[in-house]
Amino acid sequence: MYNLFRFIQKHHFVILFLVLEVLCVWLLTLTQGYHRQKRINTTNDIVGGVYETGTHIGDYFRLGKINHELAEENALLRRQLAATIDTTTGFQEIVNADTVYNFIPARVINSTVNRPNNYILIDKGSADGIEKDMGVVSSNGIVGIVADVSPHYASVMSLLHSYSTISVRFKNDEEQIATLRWQNTNYRYGIVDGIPTHLRPKPGDTIVTSSYSYIFPENLMAGTVVELIKSPDGTLNQAKIKYATDFASLKNVYVIQHTSLDELELLIQNQQMP
Amino acid sequence: MNRTLMNIIRFVALVTAQVLLINHIRLGGYVHPYIYLIFVMLLPLNTPGWQLLLSGFGIGLVIDLFMGTLGMHAGATTLMAFCRPAIIRIVSGSQKLEMNREPNINQVGFPWFLRYTFVMVLVHNFTYFMLEGFSFHLVGQALLRILISVPVSVFLIIVVMYLFSRDKGKMRDKR
């Protein structure tokens, strides 16, 4: 026993080092894998509070730009409203669109773009009606999906995440569905997979969300095509796209609340039963 | 000023600066400068080994909590703290240092401090980006990130040292 203590005393530096490193690796394994990653995140009120304070300070220096963005969005919404009322779109459709999706405004208080898996922290949480798996959009385009919520904050898995796959389509082709994912290199560009060879997307073509998702409403802007990447074996092509959202300067976002989601999920559950 | 109090203030200031300021630097998405390493680098030369390791682990863990990278920064800073005595020995060569002081840029001179910063940052970044790369199977990209991030971190740390070291020198003279 005495020898053991002598040994520990003599090599305490190395032993403590090994213990701490094993602890780190154990912590690291806790956060690996999709579901675990969702659960253990920076969504706690202390971390959120510090980031929020920092954002408040930074906001004073950006008031002009933020005002300008909001004014532009207002103008856009006014134009859309005028267009909806003027054209032949029926009253019934407007009502339906309003009742299915509710938009909760939120502020980005922290975000990353330079990690293999990026998250965005926003200043609204379960107390404001935000739940896991809700879609998040900015005035420019889609942003991500809520991964984790605490009472007053939520962490959003951005499109810049290795697990992020979004069902999309080309704006000028209603039929064909493809998948949008991130290529893990640059925060401005993503990849659209599964484009059949008969489709010939041109640079500048718009990519929007498809109707095959209950997280995002249909027709939300995702990005524009930069170039078509032909597959070497002549099957499904890919396209490099530029995201509509600038993730590096994201400030105001909206969380999409699907008001009849429970009903929809029940239906899907029943469908899967034998 | 009391040395422990000084270190607590330094800990809080560096974590705040790292999380609220430096983390917003994103030139093309590859640059990750880490200035919070200054905390471990500036511990007095005669700091006991266990204090060195726990300091490294502690600040790494706090940074991890803010960045949602549980274990990565803690692992990298702990290894850096473990290597510190050896790095100081190698970097010093025949140069004699006062053991009860901090290796501050004023005391040890610019060439010594630059070599010291470079090796310490390299050890930290290599470990961190490898941990990140292995977790996400992107080792090639991790190497690119190391190549770009190390010079930026070293530059920022030297700048911070020059910005804040004059006051500390005065404080020491008064003591």
Side-chain angles (χ1 to χ4, degrees), chain A residues 193-246:
Chain A
D193 277 327
I195 305 167
T197 42
H198 70 266
L199 279 186
R200 301 228 167 272
K202 289 181 293 297
D205 279 4
T206 308
I207 310 273
V208 293
T209 52
S210 77
S211 59
Y212 284 23
S213 152
Y214 53 85
I215 291 174
F216 292 110
E218 199 186 354
N219 253 326
L220 285 179
M221 180 78 174
T224 49
V225 174
V226 177
E227 58 175 337
L228 184 68
I229 305 162
K230 287 235 165 96
S231 102
D233 50 3
T235 52
L236 295 169
N237 292 332
Q238 293 181 322
K240 184 180 180 184
I241 72 142
K242 188 175 193 296
Y243 290 123
T245 307
D246 180 2

Side-chain angles (χ1 to χ4, degrees), chain B residues 25-46:
Chain B
I25 298 176
R26 24 180 90 137
L27 303 164
Y30 282 100
V31 185
H32 305 237
Y34 296 122
I35 61 153
Y36 75 92
L37 306 181
I38 292 175
F39 179 72
V40 179
M41 290 171 54
L42 282 192
L43 289 172
L45 289 167
N46 57 357

Side-chain angles (χ1 to χ4, degrees), chain B residues 37 41 80 83-97 103-105 107-124 150-151 153-155 157-158 161-162:
Chain B
L37 306 181
M41 290 171 54
M80 189 183 85
C83 296
R84 198 184 95 139
I87 293 173
I88 288 177
R89 228 176 302 129
I90 294 165
V91 165
S92 299
S94 57
Q95 192 176 342
K96 284 271 180 290
L97 297 170
N104 201 307
I105 198 161
Q107 259 92 53
V108 295
F110 178 74
W112 189 95
F113 198 81
L114 181 66
R115 278 181 308 208
Y116 175 56
T117 310
F118 179 75
V119 182
M120 291 286 270
V121 170
L122 192 67
V123 169
H124 172 273
V150 170
S153 281
V154 171
F155 175 76
I157 287 175
I158 300 274
M161 287 311 300
Y162 270 123

Side-chain angles (χ1 to χ4, degrees), chain A residues 12-14 16-17 20-21 23-25 27-32 37 40-42 44 46-48 50-55 57 109-117 119 162 182-187 247-249 251, chain B residues 16 19-20 23-32 48-54 57 61 64-72 74-83 85 127-128 131-133 135-136 138 141 145:
Chain A
H12 74 277
F13 188 52
V14 178
L16 182 61
F17 167 69
L20 289 177
E21 285 295 347
L23 193 63
C24 290
V25 172
L27 286 173
L28 201 60
T29 53
L30 280 185
T31 51
Q32 296 305 305
Q37 198 141 20
I40 303 161
N41 224 311
T42 53
N44 65 59
I46 299 170
V47 170
V50 171
Y51 278 130
E52 198 174 20
T53 313
T55 307
I57 296 166
I109 54 174
N110 186 49
S111 71
T112 62
V113 294
N114 49 14
R115 302 199 37 231
N117 288 327
Y119 289 90
S162 56
W182 192 41
Q183 54 181 358
N184 277 325
T185 46
N186 192 315
Y187 66 87
F247 290 94
S249 66
K251 277 294 147 216
Chain B
T16 315
V19 168
L20 295 182
N23 281 356
H24 290 283
I25 298 176
R26 24 180 90 137
L27 303 164
Y30 282 100
V31 185
H32 305 237
W50 62 274
Q51 277 183 22
L52 208 57
L53 288 174
L54 288 180
F57 180 76
L61 197 66
D64 274 336
L65 286 177
F66 277 103
M67 315 250 267
T69 54
L70 216 55
M72 289 189 208
T77 33
T78 307
L79 182 74
M80 189 183 85
F82 179 72
C83 296
T127 324
Y128 174 76
L131 284 177
E132 193 184 62
S135 330
F136 304 103
L138 298 161
Q141 238 190 65
R145 284 167 194 242

